Amino acid sequence: MSHSRSQKNESKSSRLPAQSGQPADVRAAAANRASIPVAETRYDPTHKEIAERAYQCWNERGCPDGTPEVDWSRAEQELRGKRQAKAANAT
């Protein structure tokens, strides 16, 4: 049996862990970002930390449809900045 591309994508996104009130496009963006290999540094926040902060950012923006990458990017930048500042203060 052959599945269409939309059916495959739909089934993939339905396997993502549900976050209370978090829209599917935010979960899908998080899953896509998680599959991209990135060189980790000591300042890199975990996937879970970014996802939680991205969800908060999305709520702060009034829960708009689309553009989940805006919230994900903002969350990454904020968390990295906090870790870098904390490391700088510790030295």
Side-chain angles (χ1 to χ4, degrees):
M1 184 168 121
S2 175
H3 294 286
S4 72
R5 182 175 287 185
S6 63
Q7 287 172 324
K8 287 180 182 177
N9 289 340
E10 184 177 331
S11 65
K12 182 179 177 183
S13 64
S14 66
R15 290 183 299 215
L16 295 172
Q19 302 274 332
S20 60
Q22 192 174 24
D25 59 341
V26 171
R27 291 193 315 269
N32 288 339
R33 296 283 285 201
S35 66
I36 300 170
V38 177
E40 291 189 25
T41 69
R42 61 186 170 151
Y43 305 117
D44 284 345
T46 66
H47 182 268
K48 182 178 177 181
E49 290 171 327
I50 298 169
E52 289 172 352
R53 181 61 189 133
Y55 179 71
Q56 292 170 351
C57 293
W58 175 73
N59 274 319
E60 291 169 5
R61 291 191 318 123
C63 309
D65 288 335
T67 67
E69 62 279 354
V70 170
D71 301 312
W72 191 267
S73 178
R74 175 180 166 194
E76 279 183 311
Q77 290 175 358
E78 286 180 8
L79 292 169
R80 276 195 186 111
K82 285 180 182 180
R83 287 184 178 205
Q84 287 172 343
K86 186 175 180 180
N89 290 334
T91 58

